[in-house]
Amino acid sequence: MGMASFALGCPTPAGWLAIALGDLDATMRDHLHCERKAVASALSLIHQYPERTELVRALSRLAHEESRHVMQVATRLRRRGVVLTPDRGDLYAQRLRQRVRKGEPARQLDLLLCAALIEARSAERLGLLAGALPEPALATFYAELAASEEGHRELFFALARPLVDEPSLRMRLDEWISTEAAIVRALPVEARIH
Ligand SMILES: [Fe+2]
Ligand SMILES: [Fe+2]
């Protein structure tokens, strides 16, 4: 990967990978829901900020990619004979969303930075899976997804950038990085992507 726009505030807890691989079916069911929610939140941003032509263009494309990820994970679940279960909810995303400020442009800035952080964490974890999965085809699939989510992280960051001046952007980004890291450290380590 090239130079990333920012680094996560902490790595995923060391025990996560073994737990995620230990119940890969559960991890992949959660993963499908993550991709599904990524489509929904991209479309929701288009709904909320229709006047930003560049955002509409970029996020409609992103939603298309995320929906392809949903299809790809669904295909692999089906091949594995795994039936999808209802979404167990997502404390990680809920806790992040609680920190989104009201009023513009603070709200839009927070939504986009928060999305960039979620993409960064997803890319990190999908990359960890890619590096450890014994089945080569599945490892390759996860490596491709990790690269895609890495691109999304840069896209959300680029969309956030013009909203405020550079020092304000960096200050708020640092706050989001600390917040995200604190949330990750507080959550139980489970067989799920978030
Ligand atoms: Fe995705
Ligand atoms: Fe993504």
Side-chain angles (χ1 to χ4, degrees), residues 11 18 43 45 61 63 68 100 118 122-123 129 138 150 177 183 193:
L43 294 179
L45 282 162
R61 186 189 207 117
R68 192 173 65 232
V100 172
I118 294 174
S122 305
L129 289 174
L138 202 56
E150 199 66 54
I177 289 170
I183 292 170
I193 299 300

Side-chain angles (χ1 to χ4, degrees), residues 31-53:
H31 179 201
L32 187 143
H33 284 298
C34 288
E35 300 289 0
R36 179 183 59 71
K37 285 178 272 195
V39 180
S41 57
L43 294 179
S44 166
L45 282 162
I46 293 175
H47 176 66
Q48 294 173 78
Y49 302 105
E51 73 286 353
R52 282 196 71 189
T53 303

Side-chain angles (χ1 to χ4, degrees), residues 31 35 38 65-66 69 119 145 148-149 152:
H31 179 201
E35 300 289 0
E65 276 179 34
E66 303 290 23
H69 296 168
E119 294 285 359
L145 285 194
S148 170
E149 311 307 359
H152 295 166

